[in-house]
Amino acid sequence: MLKGHVFKYGANVDTDVIIPARYLNVSETAELARHCMEDIDRDFIQRVRFGDIIVAETNFGCGSSREHAPLAIKGAGVAAVVAQSFARIFFRNAINIGLPLLESTEAVEATEAGDELEIDLAAGKIRNITKGQQFAAKPYPSFMNELIAAGGLVEYTKLRLAQGAVKPLA
Amino acid sequence: MTLAEKILAAHAGKKSVSPGDFISARVDLVLSNDITAPIAIREFDRLGVPRVFDPHKVVMVPDHFVPNKDILSAEQAKTMRAFAWEQGIRYFECGQMGIEHVLLPEKGLVLPGDLVVGADSHTCTYGALGAFATGMGSTDIAMAMATGDVWLKVPPTIRFVYHGQLPHWVDGKDLILYTIGQIGVDGALYAAMEFTGEALDALSMDGRFTMSNMAIEAGAKVGLCAVDEKTREYVKTRARRPYAIYELGSAAECAQVIEYDVSQLEPQVAQPHLPSNVCPVSRVEAKIDQVVIGSCTNGRLDDLRVAAHIFEHGQVHPEVRCIVIPGSQQVYLDALQLGYLHTFVKAGCAVSTPTCGPCLGGHMGIMAAGERAVSTTNRNFTGRMGSPQSEVYLAGPAVAAASAIKGRIASPVEL
């Protein structure tokens, strides 16, 4: 069960504002986290607490393929991102590295900055404790659940290799 | 099946696929760059597989912060270079490289019918060749480097039909900006865009690369063009292996068909801070400080030809910095031989070695607070080219060059 306070953003939060390219000369999560969201929310990194939750409108994570974006968010201590929709590369990246994403238009519309949310990932339930409301996130396709259950793409690929499902040359 | 579905079915070893299917597909090429490769290498090592699945099908191109802009980026480039040499994979060093999406088609590394995945969102550029090419993150790319396959969800196809004769000064950039302006930055989210119609047919390969390149700016997974005589001509001298040509499917197989008459279209400009914030150039009034002509979107020979033609008629405005970046060493050499670089330098432009540099606010043209650029690149998000208080207007090379001369956003018809 995840529980944290909400940082709320609008539509089309792009990867350039999640982590500006001027900081992409490193790839360490902690280093990236120091600059997370700074171009649209300068105080974010000072105010965010471990377990907090980002809530945003449509097309969150649009733009570049940089995996540094979900890494920066995860490194900042954010437990999950709830949005009306996600850009597709960001979606893959976040699942691959184990940053939970939930889609729910209703939850986003009902939630304000500073609200306290509780998320049950297994059940796909989002509860706004402040407002006393509960929402169901859009369920993942079963394939994505397998990926998540394995612990991310690297672990999933390890399983496939062990089962002989794919054979690398060496 | 649509063109996208035919290519995916062939790579998944299936007779047919439908939108929404999850498939595992063999890849023909796996790409990464100096920003995304270091994380990919880290994840590859974590997997514990000693070798990439096929060194001939893995490419690494240092282009984003190249020539290395600082010590940290030099360290990243070093990590990538060492991995590339050790694995014996294709690697293009500074001086032989190009911006990845200009370079790979030029070298014949991507061919029609291919399935290409790249740790760069503009990998979709190769859709212009009739290849299914899509951007992913470093971990996806690392796993593809190890196994030679990827999981994909088959996207629905949205077909865009461009009717009418292309007006003078209107090119691929204007068509794609107009399209994104109409459908929005998530108008094709998760979908395959398919570009067709007589105006598309009239575009050069370079113009088509520009269109496919920006499919991601509408949220798309891929931006496909059918193979025609121009495509065949382009790949004829470059291909060193067999390739497959797939035809477009019927309109009924597309999730949606959107038709535009572009015969009256003006050159288009995307205003800050979204690529969908588009309007005709004649409606934009803005003084500028910088112009960038180049990038994976518009750094090809046709783009430089258009810009050089305009700079024959005027000098860069004394209050403007105009930076021209040929997209590859080959484009650089061709532009040199054709006299374009001479024209640029005489007109007062700075001409740079190939790099992504300023497009992403990396180096070679970073803007200060309050500054404004017209750029032939692909994104105008907040802070994209430097200070979060700077502004980027996206346009094609004709508008960019005309604006450099006028010192404000200008149409080439004004010259």
Side-chain angles (χ1 to χ4, degrees), chain B residues 347-409:
Chain B
C349 302
V351 181
S352 153
T353 189
T355 181
C356 307
C359 170
L360 73 161
H363 66 157
M364 304 288 290
I366 305 300
M367 289 199 290
E371 290 193 324
R372 187 180 287 146
V374 177
S375 181
T376 69
T377 53
N378 41 58
R379 293 190 177 128
N380 55 354
F381 299 145
T382 299
R384 176 74 181 177
M385 202 176 269
S387 165
Q389 282 84 46
S390 63
E391 292 182 343
V392 178
Y393 286 70
L394 303 175
V399 167
S403 303
I405 292 169
K406 290 287 185 185
R408 59 173 170 79
I409 291 176

Side-chain angles (χ1 to χ4, degrees), chain B residues 134-187:
Chain B
T134 192
M136 292 180 177
S138 298
T139 299
D140 268 313
I141 281 331
M143 298 306 102
M145 288 198 306
T147 64
D149 70 358
V150 289
W151 71 265
L152 289 165
K153 186 173 151 188
V154 178
T157 295
I158 306 176
R159 174 176 292 179
F160 293 84
V161 190
Y162 300 91
H163 295 290
Q165 200 181 346
L166 276 179
H168 195 37
W169 299 120
V170 171
D171 209 335
K173 186 62 162 285
D174 307 294
L175 297 190
I176 193 65
L177 285 178
Y178 178 76
T179 305
I180 298 165
Q182 294 293 308
I183 67 171
V185 288
D186 59 356

Side-chain angles (χ1 to χ4, degrees), chain A residues 51-168:
Chain A
D52 282 350
I53 292 159
I54 288 178
V55 175
E57 295 170 12
T58 52
N59 203 26
F60 186 88
C62 62
S64 126
S65 71
R66 63 188 72 158
E67 201 162 297
H68 312 65
L71 284 173
I73 291 173
K74 198 179 173 193
V78 171
V81 183
V82 181
Q84 292 182 6
S85 62
F86 292 94
R88 55 161 283 276
I89 305 179
F90 181 88
F91 184 82
R92 282 185 84 113
N93 286 345
I95 299 299
N96 287 346
I97 67 150
L99 171 69
L101 304 183
L102 295 101
E103 271 186 34
S104 167
T105 298
E106 297 72 26
V108 172
E109 284 172 349
T111 300
E112 292 176 275
D115 284 0
E116 192 177 23
L117 290 193
E118 190 177 72
I119 295 175
D120 181 344
L121 283 178
K125 295 269 186 286
I126 305 162
R127 194 158 74 88
N128 187 321
I129 297 170
T130 311
K131 302 272 195 317
Q133 289 172 291
Q134 182 155 306
F135 308 93
K138 190 171 140 189
Y140 285 128
S142 58
F143 171 74
M144 302 295 298
N145 280 327
E146 268 179 60
L147 242 180
I148 294 163
L153 186 66
V154 176
E155 302 308 320
Y156 176 80
T157 308
K158 278 184 186 171
L159 285 176
R160 288 181 72 209
L161 289 169
Q163 291 162 357
V166 279
K167 288 186 184 65

